Amino acid sequence: MRNVIYALNLTLDGCCDHTKFNPAEDLLEHFTSLLRDDAGLLVYGRKTYQLMVPYWPDIAKSQSETKADIEFAQAFDSLNKIVFSRSLASTDDGNTRILRTDLHDEILKLKQEPGGNILVGGVDIPSQLIKLGLIDEYRFVIMPTIAGEGRRLLEGVSLPEKLQLKLVESKIFKSGSVALRYLKQ
């Protein structure tokens, strides 16, 4: 069975709005490894998908950024993607499907399919998956930044019960960021 992994960058004050900070190059390398080694499918909502595409596929094609950017872009572009959206009509990305079906049922089906893990990003879809109890693993990178504003994780979401997670790995980066890997207990 495939695991559902939620990966996200956060500031010290809990901001997960990527327009409020710039991750260091060592974090891009970290997430490139995650895409290459642990992900078989990417799942996003429309907002996150439109932040990622066409930006990263364009970098993969143009080779116009840093080596770390290009490697991340190539890893990202190589993976199949699913976007849960009621408003996105179509995509130009050939390896992306838009789903309008029930999130819970669809994720349960995807978990049963063969292949690498399901990596989810963003805020809305992962918050719903956390509430539904469908996230198996959490990979947070905490950056040494205080944003002072911006969107927060699980903002406005009431969980049916408190989640207790088990820390299974941590890593400190040169940039001062800390990667934390938790499993659902």
Side-chain angles (χ1 to χ4, degrees):
M1 181 184 285
R2 299 161 94 170
N3 283 329
V4 176
I5 300 171
Y6 180 29
L8 187 69
N9 291 324
L10 297 160
T11 63
L12 286 170
D13 59 339
C15 176
C16 54
D17 180 342
H18 284 91
T19 66
K20 305 296 180 196
F21 54 80
N22 293 316
E25 190 169 303
D26 54 3
L27 298 186
L28 207 49
E29 293 166 359
H30 171 75
F31 282 103
T32 299
S33 295
L34 176 60
L35 292 175
R36 286 184 181 152
D37 301 340
D38 295 330
L41 176 67
L42 301 176
V43 172
Y44 298 117
R46 179 194 54 81
K47 291 176 192 172
T48 301
Y49 176 77
Q50 289 180 323
L51 286 172
M52 304 293 277
V53 175
Y55 182 79
W56 290 112
D58 285 350
I59 289 175
K61 288 179 192 126
S62 71
Q63 307 273 309
S64 61
E65 297 293 329
T66 68
K67 181 179 183 243
D69 284 327
I70 293 167
E71 288 177 357
F72 179 86
Q74 290 170 335
F76 174 83
D77 199 35
S78 71
L79 291 169
N80 288 327
K81 298 160 200 69
I82 289 180
V83 181
F84 283 91
S85 176
R86 290 183 181 90
S87 60
L88 188 63
S90 65
T91 70
D92 295 332
D93 187 11
N95 58 355
T96 298
R97 289 188 298 153
I98 300 171
L99 295 180
R100 303 179 201 295
T101 55
D102 181 72
L103 178 66
H104 178 267
D105 293 345
E106 197 62 48
I107 293 296
L108 288 178
K109 280 192 260 179
L110 291 169
K111 286 180 70 136
Q112 298 301 319
E113 292 178 2
N117 292 316
I118 301 164
L119 185 64
V120 298
V123 179
D124 291 335
I125 295 297
S127 293
Q128 292 174 54
L129 293 173
I130 292 168
K131 190 172 182 176
L132 293 168
L134 294 175
I135 303 286
D136 301 299
E137 187 174 326
Y138 297 80
R139 297 200 188 179
F140 296 134
V141 174
I142 312 301
M143 295 180 296
T145 304
I146 297 174
E149 64 178 348
R151 197 150 187 215
R152 302 297 194 264
L153 182 63
L154 292 172
E155 205 166 50
V157 175
S158 296
L159 297 178
E161 60 186 44
K162 181 174 79 171
L163 291 175
Q164 189 63 43
L165 306 176
K166 178 182 179 184
L167 179 66
V168 294
E169 186 179 351
S170 63
K171 178 180 179 180
I172 300 172
F173 295 94
K174 290 179 199 169
S175 62
S177 295
V178 179
L180 302 169
R181 181 177 171 217
Y182 293 96
L183 299 179
K184 181 169 72 171
Q185 289 188 336

